[in-house]
Amino acid sequence: MKKRIWSKAVSIFTAILLVVGIMPNTTITALAAEGAPNTLYVGNERLPLGKDSYWTTNQDPGALTPCTGSGDDWNVKYESSSNTLTLRGASIQGGSNAVSAPYGSGIYALSHSGQPVSLTIKLIGENTITGFYGIFLNAEINASSYGTNATLTITGENNGSLGVSGSGHGIYVKSGTGNASLTITNASVDAKTTPGYAGVYVCSSTSATNSPLLSLAVNGGSLTASGAQSF
């Protein structure tokens, strides 16, 4: 009788150990939000996408410096659970290399193959972005690899504003095989570019299928764009 009780106790204890061993993996593994970028550059920095991060742009507009995120020491915050990039009085400059990714973009987000890419940019206070492209959301990876939809949302908090300029396009949203959209909500956006380019350019790749939808919407905010406005 004692032997059977001990055998049951060992079995129960083993089961508990197995559960304890399994639980950490199931509770701490974070799932990427739908449409999470495969690559995200802000200025000269490739942001880590598996965790939240905080940065400052005060010392050099082209260089992000990591910071703690406590108090008011940050200008840029990325939240991985919602693909949200918050700019708070940020000044961002793209690099000089316009030939390869991130193509000199102030902000550049690239999709995973066969997946949508989405990014929400939240504005607090006055913010500026410059580069060959100001903002480039890209679901066309290369000539033989594509994502699907490309969705850029710009929102404002407490009269948040953005001045974005590119020597190429100011804001460039390009789908892969699917749809492309830009939505501005409760924010003031001024997008500038040089002649021959678009202040705002929303388009699909040549590999888009089933008559892709292209949309540009401004809800409770404003958009001023120079150059050719395309969508």
Side-chain angles (χ1 to χ4, degrees), residues 52-58 64-77 88:
D52 295 352
S53 58
Y54 295 83
W55 310 82
T56 181
T57 65
N58 284 336
L64 266 68
T65 303
C67 60
T68 63
S70 61
D72 295 328
D73 72 343
W74 62 273
N75 301 110
V76 175
K77 174 175 67 172
R88 185 174 68 174

Side-chain angles (χ1 to χ4, degrees), residues 71-201:
D72 295 328
D73 72 343
W74 62 273
N75 301 110
V76 175
K77 174 175 67 172
Y78 180 69
E79 297 170 275
S80 60
S81 62
S82 59
N83 306 334
T84 298
L85 186 68
T86 301
L87 308 181
R88 185 174 68 174
S91 180
I92 297 166
Q93 168 128 21
S96 59
N97 180 12
V99 177
S100 58
Y103 304 106
S105 306
I107 294 176
Y108 177 75
L110 178 68
S111 70
H112 290 268
S113 180
Q115 299 295 321
V117 60
S118 66
L119 181 66
T120 296
I121 298 177
K122 182 178 178 181
L123 306 173
I124 301 174
E126 297 181 0
N127 302 272
T128 59
I129 301 172
T130 60
F132 182 77
Y133 299 104
I135 301 170
F136 188 178
L137 187 71
N138 186 16
E140 183 180 53
I141 300 168
N142 54 48
S144 59
S145 180
Y146 303 89
T148 56
N149 301 332
T151 305
L152 176 62
T153 302
I154 301 176
T155 67
E157 180 179 298
N158 298 329
N159 299 315
S161 66
L162 174 63
V164 54
S165 62
S167 51
H169 303 300
I171 299 175
Y172 190 21
V173 181
K174 187 175 188 179
S175 75
T177 59
N179 307 322
S181 67
L182 166 63
T183 302
I184 298 170
T185 302
N186 298 327
S188 173
V189 177
D190 185 3
K192 298 179 180 179
T193 188
T194 55
Y197 291 93
V200 175
Y201 195 19

